[in-house]
Amino acid sequence: EEKPQDLECDVVVIGSGASGSVACQVLVDNGYSVVCVEKGGYWLGQFPTDHFDWESLKPSLNPNLRNSMADYFIDTSDSPIDVANFNGVGGSTVFFSGHYPRFHPSDFRTMSLDGVGVDWPFDYDQLAPFYLANEKFLGVAGLCGDPAYPDMMSHLATPVPLGVAGETLANTLNDLGWHWWPSYSAIKTVFSNDPTRSVCKNIGQCNTGCPIGAKGSADVTFLADALSKGLKLIVNTTALSVIRSNKGAAAGVVCRDEQGKTFKIYSRAVMLAANALGSLRVLSGSTDNGDYLGNSSDQVGRNFMIHPLGYVEGVLAEVDCDSHIGPQGSWIASHEFYETDADREFKRGYSLQFLKNSGPVELSAKALIRRKLDFGANFLEEVKLRLHSTVGVAVICEDLPAQENMVVVVTDRKKDKDGLPKLKIRYEISENTRAMMSHGIAKAKIILQSAGASDIRGDGPVKFAGWHLTGTTRMGNDPKESVVNAFERLHDV
């Protein structure tokens, strides 16, 4: 059979998720010809929530367990937290909760303020106009006036409703004198003329994919807009390596389609946007020495961060609760313990993200295992109570960069099914993060106890919660200490 035809464009973008989709839209808007290469395909019309038995159809968020044609194996045997990501059009935004907070100004100056981490080569004020443009385009829902974000303006759409359960938690936080605010949500709450997105119908399970486009995942927002303006999207295709010119500049990408045929995309620029792991696969495939392209600083793969997560759950006393209705993970957030406090045993802090329940089958199965639920005459009523009244609190811990937390190329084994070197994560949770998580779990239990909840339990780190994959290509002004500059250009290429 004839090989795929080679292509030419101004920019080739590898990955169609949170960052790649925005890059595609901005570039196309400015007149550039862009080709986006996506390892997976479309999931529209395949979401579990389209079906009555949706809980039995939920795909694993762990690629090693999901093992679809688009997934690649990641060795996590040296990490207490497993990876959770997704390869497909829209990337992991397809299965994210829709929670859409900004960073705080302090996040950009942790070394200057707290003596930990690394200062960014730009600050919050420089990034603020882009936050605003992003939120306006997506129609982010929320409420202005948040003391944690005093500059939030009236561009926000109507917030996601709190409901009975949310009001109970909010009143409890008020009584404790702790910060809370309706979550900033990339969830459509007001009508518009956008044919690709409907207003949220409170189906609830955003983390299994939104079948109506109410959640602002990349596939129905930035990508859809870019495709209408000329973006060329190539799906079910693996980017193997970066093409180099005679002068060493990036000149395109070598790809392989789902039939195993290799072709090339020649371009003036190459943009890697395949998350903190996927981009490393391309950098590793672009050398012949078992190292990463652009690694003169020995920083590629280092400073890997996950945001370890603690979790506390309880059953509220109200029989008319409604924690089964509406977006599961984009509801209420507290930044009471976000900033460094000299009286605590750790630097930096964490956010508390309040969650609705997961679903009747999962809730019942967990309760049965823990002997908190019994079969019998009252079984269905007890299931209904748990379904309507179970709430969770996620303790999302700041994860400081550490040189020894890294993703390495496995050179002593066979390559993966795509012909690329396999990756292995070496990651340990720091004592700072452990103290932070312990503090957060204790505070979350206080909240639920004060709200009158029963059957309260919590632990951490949650093993299958590695969905905040960050780091691995450190940004900075010094090529000896960083991989890319403030404009995300590889220092070496």
Side-chain angles (χ1 to χ4, degrees), residues 171-477:
N171 288 332
T172 299
L173 288 161
N174 284 340
D175 292 340
L176 291 168
W178 293 354
H179 169 271
W180 71 272
W181 210 252
S183 289
Y184 301 99
S185 307
I187 295 173
K188 197 171 181 62
T189 59
V190 295
F191 288 95
S192 72
N193 294 323
D194 186 348
T196 62
R197 301 184 64 193
S198 300
V199 171
C200 178
K201 296 180 180 178
N202 289 321
I203 296 171
Q205 300 300 323
C206 306
N207 293 44
T208 59
C210 181
I212 62 172
K215 185 177 69 176
S217 53
D219 53 336
V220 297
T221 56
F222 296 105
L223 275 181
D225 187 66
L227 285 167
S228 71
K229 298 173 181 176
L231 170 69
K232 183 176 180 61
L233 175 63
I234 302 177
V235 299
N236 299 313
T237 297
T238 302
L240 299 175
S241 61
V242 177
I243 300 170
R244 307 287 297 283
S245 71
N246 292 334
K247 296 182 179 180
V253 179
V254 179
C255 300
R256 180 180 294 138
D257 69 10
E258 56 188 326
Q259 281 80 42
K261 299 173 184 176
T262 302
F263 65 100
K264 297 177 181 179
I265 305 174
Y266 295 100
S267 62
R268 293 166 53 194
V270 175
M271 188 171 290
L272 286 175
N275 80 44
L277 299 179
S279 293
L280 296 188
R281 298 176 81 234
V282 183
L283 292 177
S284 67
S286 301
T287 67
D288 297 320
N289 59 2
D291 196 6
Y292 295 115
L293 177 67
N295 197 25
S296 64
S297 62
D298 190 34
Q299 291 296 303
V300 178
R302 295 187 183 274
N303 310 295
F304 178 64
M305 296 165 281
I306 302 182
H307 290 167
L309 185 142
Y311 180 74
V312 179
E313 184 178 273
V315 182
L316 296 176
E318 288 87 348
V319 294
D320 60 344
C321 241
D322 53 4
S323 65
H324 61 304
I325 297 173
Q328 181 186 10
S330 194
W331 187 23
I332 299 171
S334 172
H335 288 194
E336 178 69 22
F337 307 102
Y338 192 101
E339 305 286 353
T340 295
D341 186 328
D343 293 332
R344 300 183 200 135
E345 297 180 352
F346 54 88
K347 296 290 183 73
R348 301 304 298 157
Y350 57 89
S351 60
L352 298 174
Q353 185 176 347
F354 293 80
L355 310 171
K356 299 183 181 182
N357 66 57
S358 53
V361 175
E362 184 175 334
L363 279 173
S364 302
K366 289 179 178 178
L368 283 165
I369 291 170
R370 293 169 48 240
R371 300 182 183 277
K372 297 293 183 179
L373 181 65
D374 295 310
F375 288 111
N378 297 322
F379 176 75
L380 289 179
E381 284 302 313
E382 292 178 16
V383 169
K384 183 178 179 181
L385 174 63
R386 287 183 175 275
L387 177 64
H388 289 206
S389 304
T390 300
V391 295
V393 188
V395 182
I396 304 175
C397 296
E398 174 59 28
D399 205 4
L400 294 170
Q403 293 284 303
E404 59 272 16
N405 283 343
M406 60 193 301
V407 183
V408 298
V409 177
V410 180
T411 57
D412 58 343
R413 300 183 186 178
K414 294 180 180 179
K415 294 182 178 181
D416 66 19
K417 61 186 179 183
D418 295 315
L420 289 169
K422 291 184 178 180
L423 301 180
K424 179 170 184 167
I425 294 174
R426 294 175 180 164
Y427 177 85
E428 292 185 5
I429 300 174
S430 68
E431 290 303 314
N432 188 77
T433 301
R434 291 188 183 279
M436 186 187 301
M437 183 176 296
S438 178
H439 186 277
I441 289 173
K443 295 300 182 183
K445 288 181 177 179
I446 289 172
I447 295 170
L448 293 184
Q449 289 166 354
S450 301
S454 61
D455 193 15
I456 298 172
R457 62 190 182 92
D459 56 30
V462 178
K463 182 174 178 59
F464 295 103
W467 43 67
H468 291 181
L469 310 176
T470 57
T472 72
T473 52
R474 167 176 280 179
M475 176 171 49
N477 296 321

Side-chain angles (χ1 to χ4, degrees), residues 128-143:
F130 302 99
Y131 272 130
L132 180 61
N134 196 341
E135 291 157 359
K136 282 185 173 181
F137 177 79
L138 285 180
V140 168
L143 190 67

